[in-house]
Structures are given as structure tokens and as C-alpha cells.
Amino acid sequence: MAVTLDAPRFKHKVAVIGSGNWGTTVAKLVAENTREHPDLFEEDVQMWVFEENVVIASDSPHYDPAVGDAPQKLTSVINTHHENVKYLPKIRLPSNVVANPSLLDTVKDTSILIFNLPHEFIGSVCKQIRGHILPSARGISCIKGVTVTEDKVELICDYISETLGIYCGALSGANIANEIANELWCETTIAYNTPPCDRRTEIGAAATNGGQDQQHRDSRGAVSKVQLTPLSRDYPPIDHAELRKLFDRPYFTVSMVSDVVGVSLAGALKNIVALACGFIEGHGWNMTAKTAVMRRGMLETIQFCQEFFPETIQEMTFWESAGWSDMIVSCTSARNWRCSKLAVERGVSVYEVERTELNGQKLQGISTTKEVMSFLRGRGVENKYPLFKAVEGIVDGTFKVENIPVLFRH
Amino acid sequence: MAVTLDAPRFKHKVAVIGSGNWGTTVAKLVAENTREHPDLFEEDVQMWVFEENVVIASDSPHYDPAVGDAPQKLTSVINTHHENVKYLPKIRLPSNVVANPSLLDTVKDTSILIFNLPHEFIGSVCKQIRGHILPSARGISCIKGVTVTEDKVELICDYISETLGIYCGALSGANIANEIANELWCETTIAYNTPPCDRRTEIGAAATNGGQDQQHRDSRGAVSKVQLTPLSRDYPPIDHAELRKLFDRPYFTVSMVSDVVGVSLAGALKNIVALACGFIEGHGWNMTAKTAVMRRGMLETIQFCQEFFPETIQEMTFWESAGWSDMIVSCTSARNWRCSKLAVERGVSVYEVERTELNGQKLQGISTTKEVMSFLRGRGVENKYPLFKAVEGIVDGTFKVENIPVLFRH
């Protein structure tokens, strides 16, 4: 039933939850776009900042002799000087990025929530804001990774979706925050499977039906437990075109896809492959050997997705920036790769490198490897994933790097 | 009709036509395998050497004071010292690699011909050996590239096939000859679409039918003009298993596929993308931008294959070493990439770099770009390939590198 829509009364209010290096970068580019599209978005973008005190160095252009070395609140420094001096220094933020120390105030009346904070904080944040957000809000998670236990694989965006009762997509790609903050061109992938109740032809109908969307096939293709509240027709619809307007910049090209599972899993499993590539290069093999391992790693990634999420996976997803491009960058310059390479070069375990090089931080690749292998073992299919299994073996000291080529023999 | 085969009377005689860096490397690994599989192959591998004189330096272990600085024939140096001192120095060849200065003697009674010489010599070599080879010989081309004119795209292996009246497959991958010669592990792809008359169940039947295979769908999926002579049952059959035994080494993992077109075109078109990546990096963009260009280049490659060879292309081919792996290596370290990067860094044309850096050699990527664009223009579809077109424009000075991201805007 096609219904002529009334003109929306409200614009979307956008908030970024998180203000690290990547969160601040995304706040910057989104705020540039809310200014360019005043028909769709409110200009101000709230950015939730976990408040802390900072001291402005005397050689900083933001140094104020009247304040001197006295600690200042990070939010007020950001709102005064339009720079996140702690997590994204030397990058001028648009003045419509508004640092907000209150999580609940940040999300109040917000219709588009962008989650961009470390994996380990997402549980606590979701619990705090549950019941305090618009029921028809929509989310985009910029957090890579999935939670894998022996029992199940849970996507971050599904966790957000189920905890908050809203639909949530994912942004992932071959992206390095500092480069994007400096407006060096790259591209990214946004996976968003527009809920049926939000589709343009449906909004009016659903709204006149007055109710909640009865069932939505969520990103996993299963019928979700989440009862979605349709987008109010007081707001412009949100689909691929609007999301592109919110995220795409001349220096940040967005491709839209619908396969949230593929994008999320590619972003997580590539960390296992990055460890493998570091081992390979640490052992003295070159680019040709590394590409062989990347290729096998990508094939095991696709196999994993197809084995456990057969309903929704689209093979073309792996051709996106969130697929091959992110794999290549992660296996060439990222932390998992660097640490595993160092481990082999030094003849120590990757745990030892984690301890000595990461200031107490943990290597994502190790926990992903462990979790994924435990999940596969729980299903008795670990031998179908020889590269993933070998990475676990190398991490644990039960498999030798020099035997990786043997995995590929016929 | 299943027929019990008599035991073969002959073993396959293998020859490598070409003895450069890559040809000698392939002769080495093939000769290691003929020794390991004496049931299938004659031990000696003939390697055709374009005869020339070499002088052995006095600090070489092969220096003979009795000979001194007198020029010696390259073939006799190879056969005496088991080293190709000119094109693959410091690599010990198995003694069953036999350098042969006579092209016709090299191919005499040879049932497996491996073509491994520069693109520009293949025409003359094929004309010389036509009529002098076993009619039931089979070929593998290690020569990357295709011949594209305004009218058609011709694969090297189809050219060999049609000129000699034999079936010919292709070997291609992320391979660097010196690394393989030093037994640093990598992998490769062999595309071989076993002709129906050679299939195990058919050999006896075809042989008893006594005749030529009436029609063979060649690598292009078209019914070939080539009238194949079936493999004689005096020889073991040749299919994927035997070819793997001939090429696969512990340091050189072979994947077998049937898509000769995809493997050949991926090996050729990647040179256009490598130029694009050099331009991108020369301009100051990093790995993230490069992966975006590689990805778009791969998508245009696949589109090209599907548009012009829809019958035979298998998308999985591009996941092979001859696909993504070769693309990554070519866009990271190969000559096209290096020269186009230098051109932008120096603010000169890539022709200028070709002239000053390559000692009279030509950049394959430039001719491939020109030929492919001329072919596309002849069909009026050049605008469906914006990246390829942009590379041509940058080469000719009519498109600016900094506008590459604009190609990807929506």
C-alpha cells in the first residue's frame, strides 16, 4: 500500500558514542555532513566523551597562561578549541561536534546512534542507555569484532540491537583513523539491511498500522527476537541513500551493502589471518608467501560465514573494502601483524611480545583465534579450518611456523 | 564407454622453451619432479637456450684458469656447471636439466611443452616448431599476458594452441623467480581445461576410434578451430593430477583450475591496476587508498572477463594465486608499479621514466592499457571501465591523479 507521506517534522539528531582516535574522526566527518544536509540532519553532532582531565602543554596553540598547567576537562577543551587534544591531536574539528560528558544526555532524542568505542565497553554502555533512547532510533556500529563463545557467534551490532531493541548496522573497511582525520582518501563499507518497516513504501503503511513491526529478519537472517519500532514519519526515512549522505565524504568513499554478517565477521576473522602473516614474514618469507596465506585466510573466512550463516552471506561482501582491502591493510601494517612478526623474529611467544610491547593492552587476534577455535571445536569442525588452527597452534607453541606450507599440500 | 587401458609404453618427455630467469627456475623445479616421478616422466628435461657466449668471472667457482676470459657457450656452461650463470646465477640446477641450443631438437618427441620466454618471441618460436612436434603434445604457457587488438582479445595459450594444433594451458601466480629458485615458499595457479579426448575414461575409446577429436571447446568456451590429436595411449594421461606432479614442489604449491581465460586475463589486466597503484602512492596516498584502487581494478577485471568471455569465466578464479595474490604483489613491488610511482614523484610522464630507467625495455602496463582501451572503445563501452580509462588518461596526461577518488563517487 503506497501512502503519500507528510513532510517530516523533525530532522535526525545524530550522536557518536565514543571519542577515541576513531570515534573523534567519525564525529568530524559526520558533522561535516550534517552541515551539508540540513534538510535531513540537525547540525549539531553530540559526541559522548568519557570525561577526564587533561593538561595543555605550554607549546600548544591552545595553551592559556591564565590556566597554566592546571588540569582541564577534556570536554571543555574540545568544545572551546575544537580539537580532541588527547586522542586526535592537531586535527581541527567542525564547531558542530559537541563533546558531551553525559551519556544519557548524548543519546536523548537522538535518532541515529553511532557506536564507536572499544569492544569491552559496549556492554556497559548499552545497559546504561537502555530505556533512555528513542524507541525508533537506529544504530551503526563502528566497532569491529564479534563475540564468539563455545556456543555461539554474536555480532556486535546484533548485541546492540537486542539489548536496545533497535536496528543496528555496521561500518567497517580498510580505514586508518589518523589518515582519514587528515583527509587522505580511502573507502569504507557500511552494511545496513534496512528493516522492512523502514522502507520508503512501508513507512506510511506501518505508521498507519500504528504498531510495531511484527517480525524482522535481522542481520543473521533468523527471525529476530527484537520487536522493532518503525521509524516515525516525523523523521526522514533512513536507508542506504541517507546513510551515505551521513558518512560519505570526498576523502571517504562509502559503499553500501546489506550483508551485516559478512562485514562483521570479515572484520573480526582477519585478525587471525594478520597473526598468520606476521608469523610468515617473521620467519623470512616474503610478500608472495604472505599473499598465499591471506588468500587461504580469506577462503576460511568465507567458509566460516557460509557454514554458520548460510541464509544471509553474500560472497560479493568479501570484495568490499571491509573484505579484501581491510585484510590487506591488516596483514601489512596493523598491530596483530606487527606483534606476531616480532615474536618469530625474537624467537619468543606472541604473549611475550604482547606483555613487553603493548603497555598492558591485549592483542585482539589472540582472543579471536582462541574463541573461534573453541567454537569450531565445539562443533567438531576445527580440521576444516587448517590455517586458523595452525595460528592457534603457533600461539600456543604446538605448531611450527615453518610447517605452514605443509597445510597447503595436496 | 569405459576401456581398460594397456600400460603406457612411453613416459612423457618434458621440455622448457626458454631459459631466462623464470624459464630456468621452472626447468629446475620440473626437473626435480621428473626425478621423483620416474613412472610418469623421462628424467631429463630439455631446456632450449638461445645460444650466446658468456665469460666466467675470475672470482666465480666455475672459473677455469685454462679457459681464462675466453667466451664460452652458455649451453655448455650450464651443462658442465649446472648453473645458468647469466640468467639465474648462484642457483644449482639438477643435473637432469639439459641445456639445448637447438629449438627443433629440444621439442623432438616431447609430449609436454612448457613455454617460458618473453611475450615478443612466442610468435617466431611457434612458427619454427610447427610441424616438428608430436601431434599429441600438450602445452603449458608460463607467459603472462594476452594480445589485445581493436578487434579481439587473444590469449597466449590460445595462440599457441591454434598455431601448433595442440592443447595449451596456463601457469600464473604471485611468483618471483629468484625467490622460487631459492626455494622460498609461494603458490601458483595452473589453468588447464583437460580436453575431453584426454580424459581418462575417454582415452581408450578415442584411441580405438583411431581419430582426431572432432571438436574441443577451447579455453574461450567457443568451439575451437583446433583439431586436437588425442593423447596416445602409449603415454600416461595428462590431467590435473599429473600436471600437479610435474609442477608442485614443497616450496611451490600448485592449485589447479580449469578457467584458462580468467587466469590469463587476470595476469594481463593487473598490469593496468599496478600502474594505477603506483600513481596513487606517488601522489602521497597510503595503503588504504591503494587497496581501494586494487579492489576497483579487480572488479573491472572481472567485469571485463564476464563481458567478453561469459561462457567460461568462473568467479572463483580471481580468488586464486593468479587472481588476488598476483594483484597484490604486482601492486606492491613490480616494475609497472615502481615506474608509475616514480613518474608522479618526479612530476614527469611514465614514458619518461620508461626511457630513463628501463634500458630500452618497455613497460608492459602501458601497452596493455592502450590495447585494452582501444578494444573497449571499439565496442563503445570504455566508460564502463572508469579506472582503466583513468590510467590511460594519466599515461597520456589528460587525467589528473588527484581525481582518481572522484571516479568512485556516487
Side-chain angles (χ1 to χ4, degrees), chain A residues 62 69 72 107 111 119 141 209 217 225 253 279 301 320:
Chain A
H62 307 314
D69 288 348
Q72 302 173 61
V107 301
S111 51
H119 193 159
S141 165
N209 289 344
R217 294 184 74 80
K225 287 163 284 183
T253 303
F279 293 140
T301 299
E320 294 292 337

Side-chain angles (χ1 to χ4, degrees), chain B residues 122 217 326:
Chain B
I122 189 67
R217 293 184 76 81
D326 192 22

